[in-house]
Amino acid sequence: MTTQHADAAVRDLYSRLLDAWNRRSADGFAGLFADDGTIIGFDGSVQSGAARIRDHRSPVFADHPTAAYVATVREVRPWAARTRSCCAPSPPCSRPARRN
């Protein structure tokens, strides 16, 4: 995979992750993680594995009006699928604006 293709793939994955969050889809969100994937919540809680991520996100999406997120990926490094990005919540009552 070329650097350009890897960059596009990481940006696409991050876009799909935010889309799943904004749709409040625990299955869609968790389905983007590998079995050994990990998320760290704003409160510092850690969930590892797609099933645990889904189980943790499901009640959050079901019981709380989560904010929508928009983001800009600032940097993708060719040796790892790690992004440096800027992400900001929009209140649940407003429509998120797309940043480029």
Side-chain angles (χ1 to χ4, degrees):
M1 180 180 288
T2 67
T3 300
Q4 186 177 17
H5 288 116
D7 183 271
V10 169
R11 289 173 188 276
D12 178 64
L13 176 62
Y14 194 60
S15 176
R16 290 186 292 139
L17 183 76
L18 292 182
D19 179 64
W21 175 278
N22 291 340
R23 288 183 294 109
R24 300 169 58 159
S25 171
D27 289 331
F29 187 85
L32 296 170
F33 286 85
D35 288 335
D36 62 350
T38 298
I39 64 170
I40 302 171
F42 72 94
D43 61 354
S45 60
V46 177
Q47 287 78 44
S48 295
R52 290 193 65 200
I53 291 169
R54 183 192 61 244
D55 292 347
H56 186 265
R57 290 288 112 198
S58 291
V60 172
F61 289 148
D63 300 333
H64 304 283
T66 54
Y69 277 85
V70 295
T72 300
V73 176
R74 303 275 188 214
E75 178 181 21
V76 177
R77 297 296 177 122
W79 58 85
R82 182 180 112 186
T83 63
R84 189 178 117 202
S85 58
C86 178
C87 192
S90 298
C93 61
S94 71
R95 185 181 183 113
R98 198 106 164 104
R99 288 183 58 184
N100 291 324

